[in-house]
Amino acid sequence: MSAVSLGEATRTFAKIGVLSFGGPAGQIALMHRILVDEKRWISEDRFLHALNFCMLLPGPEAQQLATYMGWLLHRVRGGLIAGSLFILPGFLTILGLSYLYVTVGDVAAVQGLFIGLKAAVIAIVLHALVRIATRSLKSPASALLSVAAFAAMFVWHVPFPIVIAGAAVLGVVMVRSSLTGTPGSRDSGDMERVEARGIFRLGTVFALLWLTPVVLLVGLLGDGNVFSDIALFFSKMAVVTFGGAYAVLAYVSQEAVTTFHWLEPGEMLDGLAMAETTPGPLIMVTQFVGFMAAYRDAGPLPQWLAAFLGATLTTWVTFVPCFLWIFVGAPFIERLRRSVVLASALAGITAAVVGVIANLATWFAIHALFASVESVAIAGGAIPMPVFSSVRFLPVAIVIVAALMLFRFRASALAVLGVAGALGIASVLIPLPL
């Protein structure tokens, strides 16, 4: 890993940031494809080890994983670059779309492109899911644990932390019972020993970067001001929102619409559509929430300036804690990579992660390929069931093309996204019977 220059790593993470469509499942798949399969900078084992840790943290796991990958390559500088570049394209895109939303009210010009990209993401996630499952599910017991994790979340909506905690416990039990085999070998890499004092100083710096604006805003503007409310609410979200992107969005939607009245329900869905079809973490929809809240309660500021400040403040208090969690936690997690107990627990989490990614991918595919989805009760739970008569034939066709490119012709993610985007644009400029 030391042979990777900072410049080359920066260019690669910039590429990942620009191409990171499709929510956490697609983004994790993209990082795995580029960093593990194509560049071979990160081993499969180390990638999964980092992913397991990020899945345990509050906040967007894909952005935290990007930060972790950058930290592995170039420590704090690499983590800052990787994590920031993962956010920046989505921030700029959603900022532009948000201004169009409140001024023009019509962003249909880019919908053709996003239709194609969303379809391609489904194929990319499926491809990555197959590869990760093949490499990480090495026994019937681990495969069974993966299926159980998928069913727990997809059918019975078991909270994500419970799924992961249960998988960790079962991982220890199964390894010690010789049902899953011993944890795989773990490369030592070139990790330096990081002193606790240095980690504390670094953690203090990022905690101050995160909390100082919050304290100043509340102190200067008082409770009830839109900027104070944004700072406090999204700082709280950064700490308490476990459970993956969709669990976070459910919480944000309820509070933004019913408690603070920043948005109407339909507007929240519009913001979610922006986040799902632009680069970056799906949680970037919070930027749209902050934008709209400040735009409508600008006070003495021009609306455009208040909206920009609201979007920037929301992004700051949402993502600075993510850097804090990684820079403080990653050194200890790396040092514990040879711990038998930790390795056994992470072996269970690795198997469950396959089920978690499958759950996200299935949810995404159902809602992208069908116009209508119903909830169907089953075995004490409920599953989203597509109305098959509402199938969207164009995205289905693009998924098939993208899957053929990936599985049959081994095309790169960039080529697949390019072709899919072009097909989506063509469908708008030259309407097809699909």
Side-chain angles (χ1 to χ4, degrees):
M1 290 189 293
S2 59
V4 181
S5 70
L6 184 63
E8 186 178 5
T10 300
R11 289 189 294 272
T12 299
F13 283 110
K15 174 183 176 182
I16 290 173
V18 171
L19 298 179
S20 59
F21 293 85
Q27 291 149 6
I28 291 168
L30 178 68
M31 275 186 277
H32 182 273
R33 182 179 180 86
I34 292 177
L35 299 177
V36 178
D37 293 337
E38 295 179 2
K39 297 291 186 178
R40 300 186 184 278
W41 290 347
I42 306 292
S43 70
E44 178 80 20
D45 191 59
R46 182 164 256 170
F47 183 90
L48 292 174
H49 183 85
L51 175 59
N52 292 336
F53 172 60
C54 294
M55 296 288 279
L56 297 174
L57 299 174
E61 62 269 27
Q63 189 270 344
Q64 290 164 338
L65 181 62
T67 304
Y68 200 130
M69 294 295 100
W71 180 85
L72 282 175
L73 294 172
H74 289 283
R75 291 299 186 275
V76 175
R77 282 192 306 168
L80 283 172
I81 290 171
S84 299
L85 288 176
F86 194 81
I87 300 167
L88 187 59
F91 173 80
L92 295 175
T93 304
I94 292 180
L95 184 65
L97 291 175
S98 298
Y99 276 113
L100 288 175
Y101 187 84
V102 297
T103 54
V104 179
D106 181 12
V107 293
V110 297
Q111 290 308 302
L113 172 63
F114 292 146
I115 287 172
L117 294 177
K118 288 170 69 174
V121 163
I122 295 172
I124 290 173
V125 171
L126 177 62
H127 186 251
L129 184 62
V130 171
R131 295 177 70 89
I132 293 174
T134 301
R135 296 177 182 181
S136 59
L137 303 183
K138 300 178 180 179
S139 71
S142 60
L144 182 60
L145 181 53
S146 176
V147 172
F150 171 81
M153 297 189 71
F154 189 72
V155 179
W156 292 285
H157 311 291
V158 176
F160 175 85
I162 295 178
V163 172
I164 294 300
V169 173
L170 288 174
V172 174
V173 172
M174 288 191 296
V175 166
R176 291 186 172 181
S177 302
S178 300
L179 293 177
T180 59
T182 56
S185 62
R186 299 180 176 274
D187 57 299
S188 59
D190 59 350
M191 302 303 298
E192 303 169 5
R193 185 173 181 82
V194 182
E195 294 183 359
R197 184 180 301 174
I199 296 174
F200 177 78
R201 285 198 298 265
L202 188 61
T204 301
V205 168
F206 277 89
L208 289 174
L209 287 173
W210 167 27
L211 295 175
T212 298
V214 179
V215 173
L216 289 176
L217 286 170
V218 174
L220 293 174
L221 302 178
D223 188 35
N225 180 275
V226 66
F227 293 106
S228 299
D229 288 344
I230 288 172
L232 286 171
F233 172 68
F234 287 107
S235 291
K236 175 185 175 183
M237 185 200 72
V239 176
V240 304
T241 47
F242 295 87
Y246 294 108
V248 173
L249 293 177
Y251 169 66
V252 172
S253 299
Q254 181 179 11
E255 294 297 308
V257 173
T258 64
T259 301
F260 291 102
H261 305 290
W262 288 333
L263 298 171
E264 298 295 329
E267 291 173 335
M268 190 67 199
L269 291 175
D270 291 337
L272 181 57
M274 288 185 194
E276 284 186 327
T277 52
T278 52
L282 192 57
I283 199 62
M284 290 299 292
V285 67
T286 58
Q287 174 193 333
F288 175 74
V289 174
F291 179 99
M292 295 299 295
Y295 182 85
R296 287 173 170 160
D297 191 8
L301 297 175
Q303 281 187 303
W304 66 268
L305 177 59
F308 172 77
L309 293 175
T312 303
L313 175 61
T314 302
T315 304
W316 183 267
V317 298
T318 298
F319 288 101
V320 170
C322 297
F323 291 102
L324 173 62
W325 313 145
I326 295 301
F327 292 151
V328 170
F332 293 105
I333 292 298
E334 285 297 311
R335 265 192 249 172
L336 293 172
R337 291 174 69 231
R338 285 183 173 80
S339 164
V340 174
V341 173
L342 179 64
S344 302
L346 293 182
I349 295 175
T350 296
V353 162
V354 175
V356 170
I357 294 176
N359 172 63
L360 290 174
T362 303
W363 190 97
F364 186 70
I366 288 174
H367 288 82
L369 301 181
F370 297 89
S372 298
V373 179
E374 299 176 341
S375 181
V376 177
I378 179 173
I383 61 172
M385 181 65 67
V387 178
F388 291 99
S389 61
S390 70
V391 62
R392 295 176 170 135
F393 289 103
L394 176 62
V396 170
I398 296 176
V399 168
I400 294 172
V401 171
L404 285 173
M405 292 179 67
L406 288 167
F407 286 95
R408 178 67 178 85
F409 300 105
R410 302 183 182 277
S412 68
L414 180 61
V416 172
L417 289 166
V419 170
L423 290 174
I425 293 172
S427 72
V428 173
L429 299 180
I430 308 173
L432 300 174
L434 293 174

Coordinates of all heavy atoms in Angstrom, one line a residue, residues 126-193:
L126 N -25.5 -6.1 -8.1 CA -25.6 -7.5 -8.2 C -24.3 -8.2 -8.5 O -24.0 -9.2 -7.9 CB -26.6 -7.8 -9.4 CG -26.8 -9.3 -9.7 CD1 -27.4 -10.0 -8.5 CD2 -27.8 -9.4 -10.9
H127 N -23.5 -7.6 -9.4 CA -22.2 -8.1 -9.7 C -21.3 -8.2 -8.5 O -20.6 -9.2 -8.2 CB -21.6 -7.3 -10.8 CG -20.3 -7.8 -11.3 ND1 -19.1 -7.2 -11.1 CD2 -20.0 -8.9 -12.1 CE1 -18.1 -7.9 -11.7 NE2 -18.6 -8.9 -12.3
A128 N -21.3 -7.1 -7.7 CA -20.4 -7.0 -6.5 C -21.0 -8.0 -5.5 O -20.2 -8.6 -4.8 CB -20.4 -5.6 -6.0
L129 N -22.3 -8.1 -5.4 CA -22.9 -9.0 -4.4 C -22.4 -10.5 -4.6 O -22.1 -11.2 -3.7 CB -24.4 -8.9 -4.4 CG -25.2 -9.7 -3.4 CD1 -24.8 -9.3 -2.0 CD2 -26.6 -9.6 -3.6
V130 N -22.4 -10.9 -5.9 CA -22.0 -12.2 -6.3 C -20.5 -12.4 -5.9 O -20.2 -13.5 -5.3 CB -22.2 -12.4 -7.8 CG1 -21.6 -13.8 -8.2 CG2 -23.7 -12.5 -8.1
R131 N -19.7 -11.4 -6.2 CA -18.3 -11.6 -6.0 C -18.0 -11.6 -4.5 O -17.2 -12.5 -4.0 CB -17.5 -10.4 -6.6 CG -17.6 -10.4 -8.1 CD -16.9 -9.2 -8.7 NE -15.4 -9.3 -8.5 CZ -14.6 -9.9 -9.4 NH1 -15.1 -10.4 -10.5 NH2 -13.3 -9.9 -9.2
I132 N -18.6 -10.7 -3.7 CA -18.4 -10.7 -2.3 C -18.9 -11.9 -1.6 O -18.3 -12.5 -0.7 CB -19.0 -9.4 -1.6 CG1 -18.3 -8.2 -2.1 CG2 -18.9 -9.5 -0.1 CD1 -18.9 -6.9 -1.7
A133 N -20.1 -12.4 -2.0 CA -20.7 -13.6 -1.4 C -19.8 -14.8 -1.7 O -19.6 -15.7 -0.9 CB -22.1 -13.8 -2.0
T134 N -19.3 -14.9 -2.9 CA -18.4 -16.0 -3.3 C -17.2 -16.1 -2.5 O -16.7 -17.2 -2.1 CB -18.0 -15.9 -4.8 OG1 -19.2 -15.9 -5.6 CG2 -17.1 -17.1 -5.2
R135 N -16.6 -14.9 -2.1 CA -15.4 -14.9 -1.4 C -15.5 -15.0 0.1 O -14.6 -15.4 0.8 CB -14.6 -13.6 -1.8 CG -14.2 -13.5 -3.2 CD -13.5 -12.2 -3.5 NE -13.2 -12.0 -5.0 CZ -12.6 -11.0 -5.5 NH1 -12.3 -10.0 -4.8 NH2 -12.3 -11.0 -6.8
S136 N -16.7 -14.5 0.6 CA -16.8 -14.4 2.1 C -17.7 -15.5 2.7 O -17.5 -15.8 3.9 CB -17.3 -13.0 2.5 OG -18.6 -12.8 1.9
L137 N -18.5 -16.1 1.9 CA -19.4 -17.2 2.4 C -18.7 -18.5 2.1 O -19.0 -19.1 1.1 CB -20.8 -17.1 1.8 CG -21.5 -15.8 2.0 CD1 -22.9 -15.8 1.4 CD2 -21.6 -15.4 3.4
K138 N -17.9 -19.0 3.1 CA -17.1 -20.1 2.8 C -17.6 -21.4 3.4 O -16.9 -22.4 3.4 CB -15.7 -19.8 3.3 CG -15.0 -18.6 2.6 CD -13.6 -18.3 3.2 CE -13.0 -17.1 2.5 NZ -11.7 -16.8 3.0
S139 N -18.8 -21.4 4.0 CA -19.3 -22.6 4.6 C -20.9 -22.5 4.6 O -21.4 -21.4 4.5 CB -18.8 -22.7 6.1 OG -19.5 -21.7 6.9
P140 N -21.5 -23.6 4.7 CA -23.0 -23.5 4.8 C -23.5 -22.7 6.0 O -24.5 -22.0 5.8 CB -23.4 -25.0 5.0 CG -22.3 -25.8 4.4 CD -21.0 -25.0 4.7
A141 N -22.8 -22.7 7.1 CA -23.2 -21.9 8.2 C -23.2 -20.4 8.0 O -24.1 -19.7 8.3 CB -22.4 -22.3 9.5
S142 N -22.1 -20.0 7.3 CA -22.0 -18.5 7.0 C -23.0 -18.1 6.0 O -23.6 -17.0 6.0 CB -20.6 -18.2 6.5 OG -20.2 -18.9 5.3
A143 N -23.3 -19.0 5.0 CA -24.4 -18.7 4.0 C -25.7 -18.6 4.7 O -26.5 -17.7 4.4 CB -24.4 -19.8 2.9
L144 N -26.0 -19.5 5.6 CA -27.2 -19.5 6.4 C -27.4 -18.2 7.2 O -28.4 -17.6 7.2 CB -27.3 -20.7 7.3 CG -28.6 -20.9 8.1 CD1 -29.8 -21.0 7.2 CD2 -28.5 -22.1 9.0
L145 N -26.3 -17.8 7.8 CA -26.3 -16.5 8.5 C -26.6 -15.3 7.6 O -27.3 -14.4 8.0 CB -24.9 -16.3 9.2 CG -24.8 -15.1 10.1 CD1 -25.9 -15.0 11.2 CD2 -23.4 -15.1 10.8
S146 N -26.0 -15.4 6.4 CA -26.3 -14.3 5.5 C -27.8 -14.2 5.1 O -28.4 -13.2 5.0 CB -25.4 -14.5 4.2 OG -25.8 -13.5 3.2
V147 N -28.4 -15.4 4.8 CA -29.8 -15.5 4.5 C -30.6 -15.0 5.6 O -31.6 -14.3 5.4 CB -30.2 -16.9 4.0 CG1 -31.7 -17.1 3.9 CG2 -29.4 -17.3 2.8
A148 N -30.3 -15.4 6.8 CA -31.0 -15.0 8.0 C -31.0 -13.5 8.2 O -32.0 -12.9 8.6 CB -30.5 -15.7 9.3
A149 N -29.8 -12.9 8.0 CA -29.7 -11.4 8.1 C -30.6 -10.7 7.0 O -31.3 -9.7 7.3 CB -28.3 -11.0 7.9
F150 N -30.6 -11.2 5.8 CA -31.4 -10.7 4.8 C -32.9 -10.8 5.2 O -33.7 -9.8 5.1 CB -31.2 -11.4 3.5 CG -32.2 -11.0 2.4 CD1 -32.0 -9.9 1.6 CD2 -33.3 -11.8 2.1 CE1 -32.9 -9.5 0.6 CE2 -34.2 -11.5 1.1 CZ -34.0 -10.3 0.4
A151 N -33.3 -12.0 5.6 CA -34.7 -12.1 6.0 C -35.1 -11.3 7.2 O -36.2 -10.7 7.2 CB -35.0 -13.6 6.3
A152 N -34.2 -11.2 8.1 CA -34.6 -10.4 9.3 C -34.9 -8.9 9.0 O -35.8 -8.3 9.5 CB -33.4 -10.5 10.3
M153 N -34.1 -8.4 8.0 CA -34.3 -7.0 7.7 C -35.4 -6.8 6.6 O -36.2 -5.9 6.7 CB -33.0 -6.4 7.2 CG -31.8 -6.4 8.2 SD -30.4 -5.5 7.7 CE -31.0 -3.8 7.8
F154 N -35.4 -7.7 5.7 CA -36.3 -7.5 4.5 C -37.8 -7.9 4.9 O -38.7 -7.2 4.5 CB -35.9 -8.4 3.4 CG -36.6 -8.1 2.1 CD1 -36.4 -6.9 1.4 CD2 -37.6 -9.0 1.6 CE1 -37.1 -6.7 0.2 CE2 -38.2 -8.8 0.4 CZ -38.0 -7.6 -0.3
V155 N -37.9 -8.9 5.7 CA -39.3 -9.4 6.0 C -39.8 -8.8 7.3 O -40.9 -8.3 7.4 CB -39.3 -10.9 6.1 CG1 -40.7 -11.4 6.4 CG2 -38.9 -11.5 4.7
W156 N -38.9 -8.9 8.4 CA -39.4 -8.6 9.7 C -38.9 -7.2 10.2 O -39.2 -6.8 11.3 CB -39.0 -9.6 10.7 CG -39.8 -10.9 10.5 CD1 -41.1 -11.2 10.8 CD2 -39.3 -12.1 9.9 NE1 -41.4 -12.4 10.4 CE2 -40.3 -13.0 9.8 CE3 -38.0 -12.5 9.3 CZ2 -40.2 -14.3 9.3 CZ3 -37.9 -13.7 8.8 CH2 -38.9 -14.6 8.8
H157 N -38.1 -6.5 9.3 CA -37.6 -5.2 9.6 C -36.9 -5.1 11.0 O -37.1 -4.1 11.8 CB -38.8 -4.2 9.6 CG -39.6 -4.3 8.3 ND1 -39.1 -4.0 7.1 CD2 -40.9 -4.8 8.2 CE1 -40.1 -4.2 6.2 NE2 -41.1 -4.7 6.8
V158 N -36.1 -6.1 11.3 CA -35.4 -6.1 12.5 C -34.3 -4.9 12.5 O -33.7 -4.8 11.4 CB -34.6 -7.4 12.7 CG1 -33.7 -7.4 14.0 CG2 -35.6 -8.6 12.8
P159 N -34.2 -4.2 13.5 CA -33.3 -3.0 13.5 C -31.9 -3.5 13.1 O -31.4 -4.5 13.6 CB -33.4 -2.4 14.9 CG -34.7 -2.8 15.4 CD -35.0 -4.2 14.8
F160 N -31.2 -2.7 12.3 CA -29.9 -3.0 11.9 C -28.9 -3.4 13.0 O -28.1 -4.3 12.9 CB -29.3 -1.9 11.0 CG -27.9 -2.0 10.6 CD1 -27.6 -2.7 9.4 CD2 -26.9 -1.4 11.3 CE1 -26.3 -2.8 9.0 CE2 -25.6 -1.5 10.9 CZ -25.3 -2.2 9.7
P161 N -28.8 -2.5 14.1 CA -27.9 -2.9 15.2 C -28.1 -4.2 15.8 O -27.1 -4.9 16.1 CB -28.1 -1.8 16.2 CG -28.7 -0.6 15.4 CD -29.6 -1.3 14.4
I162 N -29.4 -4.7 15.9 CA -29.7 -6.0 16.4 C -29.2 -7.1 15.5 O -28.6 -8.1 15.9 CB -31.2 -6.1 16.7 CG1 -31.6 -5.2 17.8 CG2 -31.5 -7.6 17.1 CD1 -33.1 -5.2 18.1
V163 N -29.3 -6.9 14.2 CA -28.9 -7.9 13.2 C -27.3 -8.0 13.3 O -26.8 -9.1 13.3 CB -29.3 -7.4 11.8 CG1 -28.6 -8.3 10.7 CG2 -30.8 -7.5 11.6
I164 N -26.6 -6.9 13.3 CA -25.2 -6.9 13.4 C -24.7 -7.5 14.7 O -23.7 -8.3 14.7 CB -24.6 -5.5 13.1 CG1 -24.9 -5.1 11.7 CG2 -23.1 -5.5 13.4 CD1 -24.4 -6.0 10.6
A165 N -25.3 -7.1 15.8 CA -24.9 -7.6 17.1 C -25.1 -9.1 17.2 O -24.3 -9.9 17.7 CB -25.7 -6.9 18.2
G166 N -26.3 -9.6 16.7 CA -26.6 -11.0 16.7 C -25.6 -11.8 15.8 O -25.1 -12.9 16.2
A167 N -25.2 -11.2 14.6 CA -24.2 -11.8 13.8 C -22.9 -11.9 14.4 O -22.2 -13.0 14.3 CB -24.1 -11.1 12.5
A168 N -22.5 -10.9 15.2 CA -21.2 -10.9 15.9 C -21.2 -12.1 16.9 O -20.2 -12.8 17.0 CB -20.9 -9.6 16.5
V169 N -22.2 -12.2 17.7 CA -22.3 -13.2 18.7 C -22.3 -14.6 18.0 O -21.5 -15.5 18.4 CB -23.6 -13.1 19.6 CG1 -23.7 -14.3 20.5 CG2 -23.5 -11.8 20.4
L170 N -23.1 -14.8 17.0 CA -23.1 -16.1 16.3 C -21.8 -16.4 15.6 O -21.4 -17.6 15.6 CB -24.3 -16.1 15.3 CG -25.7 -16.1 15.8 CD1 -26.7 -16.0 14.7 CD2 -25.9 -17.4 16.6
G171 N -21.1 -15.3 15.1 CA -19.8 -15.6 14.6 C -18.8 -16.2 15.5 O -18.1 -17.1 15.2
V172 N -18.8 -15.6 16.8 CA -17.9 -16.2 17.8 C -18.3 -17.6 18.1 O -17.5 -18.5 18.2 CB -18.0 -15.3 19.1 CG1 -17.2 -16.0 20.2 CG2 -17.5 -13.9 18.8
V173 N -19.6 -17.9 18.3 CA -20.1 -19.2 18.6 C -19.8 -20.2 17.5 O -19.3 -21.3 17.8 CB -21.6 -19.2 18.9 CG1 -22.2 -20.6 19.0 CG2 -22.0 -18.4 20.1
M174 N -20.0 -19.8 16.2 CA -19.8 -20.7 15.1 C -18.3 -21.0 14.9 O -17.9 -22.2 14.6 CB -20.5 -20.2 13.9 CG -22.0 -20.3 13.9 SD -22.7 -19.9 12.3 CE -22.2 -18.2 12.0
V175 N -17.5 -20.0 15.0 CA -16.1 -20.2 14.8 C -15.5 -21.2 15.9 O -14.8 -22.1 15.7 CB -15.3 -18.9 14.8 CG1 -13.8 -19.2 15.0 CG2 -15.6 -18.2 13.5
R176 N -15.9 -20.9 17.2 CA -15.5 -21.8 18.2 C -16.1 -23.2 18.2 O -15.5 -24.1 18.8 CB -15.8 -21.1 19.6 CG -14.9 -19.9 19.8 CD -15.1 -19.3 21.2 NE -14.2 -18.2 21.4 CZ -14.1 -17.5 22.5 NH1 -14.9 -17.8 23.5 NH2 -13.2 -16.5 22.6
S177 N -17.2 -23.3 17.4 CA -17.8 -24.6 17.3 C -17.3 -25.3 16.0 O -17.8 -26.3 15.6 CB -19.3 -24.5 17.3 OG -19.7 -23.9 18.5
S178 N -16.4 -24.6 15.3 CA -15.8 -25.1 14.0 C -16.8 -25.3 12.9 O -16.7 -26.2 12.1 CB -15.0 -26.4 14.3 OG -14.0 -26.3 15.2
L179 N -17.8 -24.4 12.9 CA -18.9 -24.5 11.9 C -18.6 -23.6 10.7 O -19.0 -23.9 9.6 CB -20.2 -24.1 12.5 CG -20.8 -25.0 13.5 CD1 -22.1 -24.5 14.1 CD2 -21.0 -26.4 12.9
T180 N -17.9 -22.5 11.0 CA -17.5 -21.6 9.9 C -16.1 -21.7 9.5 O -15.6 -21.0 8.6 CB -17.9 -20.1 10.2 OG1 -17.2 -19.8 11.4 CG2 -19.4 -20.0 10.5
G181 N -15.3 -22.4 10.3 CA -13.9 -22.4 10.1 C -13.2 -21.3 10.8 O -13.9 -20.3 11.3
T182 N -11.9 -21.3 10.8 CA -11.2 -20.2 11.5 C -11.2 -19.0 10.6 O -11.3 -19.1 9.4 CB -9.7 -20.6 11.8 OG1 -9.1 -21.0 10.6 CG2 -9.7 -21.7 12.8
P183 N -11.1 -17.8 11.2 CA -11.0 -16.6 10.3 C -9.8 -16.6 9.4 O -8.8 -17.2 9.7 CB -10.8 -15.5 11.4 CG -11.3 -16.0 12.7 CD -11.0 -17.5 12.6
G184 N -10.0 -16.0 8.2 CA -9.0 -16.1 7.2 C -7.7 -15.3 7.6 O -7.7 -14.5 8.6
S185 N -6.6 -15.6 6.9 CA -5.4 -14.9 7.3 C -5.5 -13.4 7.0 O -6.2 -13.0 6.1 CB -4.3 -15.5 6.4 OG -4.5 -15.3 5.0
R186 N -4.8 -12.6 7.8 CA -4.9 -11.2 7.7 C -3.6 -10.6 7.4 O -2.7 -10.7 8.2 CB -5.6 -10.6 9.0 CG -7.0 -11.2 9.2 CD -7.6 -10.7 10.5 NE -8.9 -11.2 10.6 CZ -10.0 -10.6 10.0 NH1 -9.9 -9.6 9.3 NH2 -11.2 -11.2 10.2
D187 N -3.5 -9.8 6.3 CA -2.2 -9.3 6.0 C -1.8 -8.2 7.0 O -2.7 -7.4 7.4 CB -2.2 -8.7 4.6 CG -3.3 -7.7 4.4 OD1 -4.5 -8.0 4.5 OD2 -2.9 -6.5 4.1
S188 N -0.6 -8.1 7.4 CA -0.2 -7.1 8.4 C 0.0 -5.7 7.8 O -0.1 -4.7 8.5 CB 1.1 -7.5 9.0 OG 2.1 -7.7 8.1
G189 N 0.3 -5.6 6.5 CA 0.4 -4.3 5.8 C 1.6 -3.6 6.4 O 2.6 -4.2 6.9
D190 N 1.6 -2.3 6.4 CA 2.7 -1.5 6.9 C 2.2 -0.6 8.0 O 2.6 0.6 8.1 CB 3.4 -0.7 5.8 CG 2.4 0.2 5.1 OD1 1.2 0.1 5.4 OD2 2.8 1.1 4.4
M191 N 1.2 -1.1 8.9 CA 0.6 -0.2 9.8 C 1.6 0.3 10.9 O 2.4 -0.5 11.4 CB -0.5 -1.0 10.5 CG -1.6 -1.5 9.6 SD -2.3 -0.2 8.6 CE -3.0 0.8 9.9
E192 N 1.6 1.5 11.2 CA 2.4 2.1 12.2 C 1.7 2.0 13.6 O 0.5 1.9 13.7 CB 2.7 3.6 12.0 CG 3.3 3.8 10.6 CD 3.3 5.3 10.3 OE1 2.9 6.1 11.1 OE2 3.7 5.6 9.2
R193 N 2.5 2.0 14.6 CA 1.9 2.0 16.0 C 1.5 3.4 16.3 O 2.3 4.3 16.3 CB 2.8 1.4 17.0 CG 2.2 1.3 18.4 CD 3.2 0.6 19.3 NE 2.6 0.5 20.6 CZ 1.7 -0.5 21.0 NH1 1.4 -1.4 20.1 NH2 1.2 -0.5 22.2

